[in-house]
PDB file of all heavy atoms in Angstrom:
ATOM      1  N   GLN O  60       7.970   3.654  -8.940  1.00  0.00           N
ATOM      2  CA  GLN O  60       6.626   3.429  -8.436  1.00  0.00           C
ATOM      3  C   GLN O  60       6.257   1.927  -8.456  1.00  0.00           C
ATOM      4  O   GLN O  60       5.421   1.479  -7.703  1.00  0.00           O
ATOM      5  CB  GLN O  60       5.593   4.186  -9.303  1.00  0.00           C
ATOM      6  CG  GLN O  60       5.676   5.665  -9.119  1.00  0.00           C
ATOM      7  CD  GLN O  60       6.922   6.285  -9.745  1.00  0.00           C
ATOM      8  OE1 GLN O  60       7.505   5.704 -10.684  1.00  0.00           O
ATOM      9  NE2 GLN O  60       7.367   7.390  -9.250  1.00  0.00           N
ATOM     10  N   PHE O  61       6.903   1.178  -9.359  1.00  0.00           N
ATOM     11  CA  PHE O  61       6.669  -0.259  -9.352  1.00  0.00           C
ATOM     12  C   PHE O  61       7.152  -0.881  -8.044  1.00  0.00           C
ATOM     13  O   PHE O  61       6.499  -1.742  -7.461  1.00  0.00           O
ATOM     14  CB  PHE O  61       7.404  -0.929 -10.534  1.00  0.00           C
ATOM     15  CG  PHE O  61       6.884  -0.544 -11.894  1.00  0.00           C
ATOM     16  CD1 PHE O  61       7.738  -0.089 -12.872  1.00  0.00           C
ATOM     17  CD2 PHE O  61       5.523  -0.621 -12.181  1.00  0.00           C
ATOM     18  CE1 PHE O  61       7.272   0.243 -14.125  1.00  0.00           C
ATOM     19  CE2 PHE O  61       5.060  -0.286 -13.434  1.00  0.00           C
ATOM     20  CZ  PHE O  61       5.934   0.160 -14.399  1.00  0.00           C
ATOM     21  N   VAL O  62       8.288  -0.445  -7.569  1.00  0.00           N
ATOM     22  CA  VAL O  62       8.845  -0.943  -6.320  1.00  0.00           C
ATOM     23  C   VAL O  62       7.955  -0.506  -5.155  1.00  0.00           C
ATOM     24  O   VAL O  62       7.666  -1.271  -4.225  1.00  0.00           O
ATOM     25  CB  VAL O  62      10.297  -0.469  -6.106  1.00  0.00           C
ATOM     26  CG1 VAL O  62      10.823  -0.890  -4.760  1.00  0.00           C
ATOM     27  CG2 VAL O  62      11.183  -0.971  -7.215  1.00  0.00           C
ATOM     28  N   ILE O  63       7.490   0.741  -5.217  1.00  0.00           N
ATOM     29  CA  ILE O  63       6.595   1.238  -4.170  1.00  0.00           C
ATOM     30  C   ILE O  63       5.316   0.422  -4.146  1.00  0.00           C
ATOM     31  O   ILE O  63       4.813   0.062  -3.075  1.00  0.00           O
ATOM     32  CB  ILE O  63       6.298   2.737  -4.395  1.00  0.00           C
ATOM     33  CG1 ILE O  63       7.575   3.533  -4.189  1.00  0.00           C
ATOM     34  CG2 ILE O  63       5.184   3.235  -3.496  1.00  0.00           C
ATOM     35  CD1 ILE O  63       7.477   4.973  -4.673  1.00  0.00           C
ATOM     36  N   GLY O  64       4.763   0.156  -5.329  1.00  0.00           N
ATOM     37  CA  GLY O  64       3.537  -0.651  -5.415  1.00  0.00           C
ATOM     38  C   GLY O  64       3.736  -2.038  -4.823  1.00  0.00           C
ATOM     39  O   GLY O  64       2.874  -2.551  -4.136  1.00  0.00           O
ATOM     40  N   GLY O  65       4.875  -2.640  -5.116  1.00  0.00           N
ATOM     41  CA  GLY O  65       5.179  -3.944  -4.546  1.00  0.00           C
ATOM     42  C   GLY O  65       5.285  -3.909  -3.036  1.00  0.00           C
ATOM     43  O   GLY O  65       4.737  -4.742  -2.333  1.00  0.00           O
ATOM     44  N   ALA O  66       5.979  -2.891  -2.515  1.00  0.00           N
ATOM     45  CA  ALA O  66       6.104  -2.781  -1.071  1.00  0.00           C
ATOM     46  C   ALA O  66       4.771  -2.547  -0.391  1.00  0.00           C
ATOM     47  O   ALA O  66       4.483  -3.158   0.659  1.00  0.00           O
ATOM     48  CB  ALA O  66       7.060  -1.625  -0.723  1.00  0.00           C
ATOM     49  N   LEU O  67       3.922  -1.716  -0.976  1.00  0.00           N
ATOM     50  CA  LEU O  67       2.611  -1.468  -0.406  1.00  0.00           C
ATOM     51  C   LEU O  67       1.737  -2.708  -0.370  1.00  0.00           C
ATOM     52  O   LEU O  67       1.109  -3.036   0.639  1.00  0.00           O
ATOM     53  CB  LEU O  67       1.854  -0.391  -1.193  1.00  0.00           C
ATOM     54  CG  LEU O  67       2.212   1.064  -0.907  1.00  0.00           C
ATOM     55  CD1 LEU O  67       1.451   1.967  -1.817  1.00  0.00           C
ATOM     56  CD2 LEU O  67       1.951   1.435   0.536  1.00  0.00           C
ATOM     57  N   THR O  68       1.706  -3.399  -1.483  1.00  0.00           N
ATOM     58  CA  THR O  68       0.865  -4.583  -1.533  1.00  0.00           C
ATOM     59  C   THR O  68       1.350  -5.709  -0.630  1.00  0.00           C
ATOM     60  O   THR O  68       0.545  -6.349   0.044  1.00  0.00           O
ATOM     61  CB  THR O  68       0.695  -5.118  -2.971  1.00  0.00           C
ATOM     62  OG1 THR O  68       1.982  -5.363  -3.515  1.00  0.00           O
ATOM     63  CG2 THR O  68      -0.055  -4.093  -3.839  1.00  0.00           C
ATOM     64  N   PHE O  69       2.659  -5.934  -0.593  1.00  0.00           N
ATOM     65  CA  PHE O  69       3.192  -6.988   0.270  1.00  0.00           C
ATOM     66  C   PHE O  69       2.944  -6.643   1.745  1.00  0.00           C
ATOM     67  O   PHE O  69       2.634  -7.510   2.548  1.00  0.00           O
ATOM     68  CB  PHE O  69       4.654  -7.242   0.010  1.00  0.00           C
ATOM     69  CG  PHE O  69       4.922  -7.789  -1.374  1.00  0.00           C
ATOM     70  CD1 PHE O  69       6.049  -7.399  -2.045  1.00  0.00           C
ATOM     71  CD2 PHE O  69       4.036  -8.695  -1.963  1.00  0.00           C
ATOM     72  CE1 PHE O  69       6.296  -7.905  -3.326  1.00  0.00           C
ATOM     73  CE2 PHE O  69       4.299  -9.170  -3.236  1.00  0.00           C
ATOM     74  CZ  PHE O  69       5.424  -8.798  -3.917  1.00  0.00           C
ATOM     75  N   GLY O  70       3.041  -5.347   2.084  1.00  0.00           N
ATOM     76  CA  GLY O  70       2.753  -4.928   3.464  1.00  0.00           C
ATOM     77  C   GLY O  70       1.285  -5.134   3.807  1.00  0.00           C
ATOM     78  O   GLY O  70       0.949  -5.531   4.926  1.00  0.00           O
ATOM     79  N   SER O  71       0.409  -4.844   2.854  1.00  0.00           N
ATOM     80  CA  SER O  71      -1.038  -5.006   3.137  1.00  0.00           C
ATOM     81  C   SER O  71      -1.417  -6.476   3.214  1.00  0.00           C
ATOM     82  O   SER O  71      -2.295  -6.827   4.004  1.00  0.00           O
ATOM     83  CB  SER O  71      -1.859  -4.281   2.084  1.00  0.00           C
ATOM     84  OG  SER O  71      -1.711  -4.902   0.835  1.00  0.00           O
ATOM     85  N   VAL O  72      -0.758  -7.327   2.484  1.00  0.00           N
ATOM     86  CA  VAL O  72      -0.998  -8.771   2.588  1.00  0.00           C
ATOM     87  C   VAL O  72      -0.614  -9.239   3.987  1.00  0.00           C
ATOM     88  O   VAL O  72      -1.314 -10.029   4.615  1.00  0.00           O
ATOM     89  CB  VAL O  72      -0.259  -9.550   1.490  1.00  0.00           C
ATOM     90  CG1 VAL O  72      -0.258 -11.051   1.787  1.00  0.00           C
ATOM     91  CG2 VAL O  72      -0.850  -9.288   0.149  1.00  0.00           C
ATOM     92  N   SER O  73       0.502  -8.726   4.511  1.00  0.00           N
ATOM     93  CA  SER O  73       0.901  -9.115   5.849  1.00  0.00           C
ATOM     94  C   SER O  73      -0.092  -8.621   6.898  1.00  0.00           C
ATOM     95  O   SER O  73      -0.296  -9.296   7.900  1.00  0.00           O
ATOM     96  CB  SER O  73       2.308  -8.599   6.165  1.00  0.00           C
ATOM     97  OG  SER O  73       2.321  -7.205   6.281  1.00  0.00           O
ATOM     98  N   GLU O  74      -0.736  -7.481   6.640  1.00  0.00           N
ATOM     99  CA  GLU O  74      -1.779  -7.010   7.549  1.00  0.00           C
ATOM    100  C   GLU O  74      -2.948  -7.991   7.612  1.00  0.00           C
ATOM    101  O   GLU O  74      -3.459  -8.300   8.666  1.00  0.00           O
ATOM    102  CB  GLU O  74      -2.298  -5.638   7.096  1.00  0.00           C
ATOM    103  CG  GLU O  74      -1.359  -4.494   7.271  1.00  0.00           C
ATOM    104  CD  GLU O  74      -1.333  -3.999   8.680  1.00  0.00           C
ATOM    105  OE1 GLU O  74      -2.327  -4.179   9.425  1.00  0.00           O
ATOM    106  OE2 GLU O  74      -0.302  -3.415   9.074  1.00  0.00           O
TER     107      GLU O  74
END
Side-chain angles (χ1 to χ4, degrees):
Q60 291 72 24
F61 294 129
V62 176
I63 293 168
L67 280 177
T68 55
F69 295 143
S71 67
V72 168
S73 69
E74 289 281 336

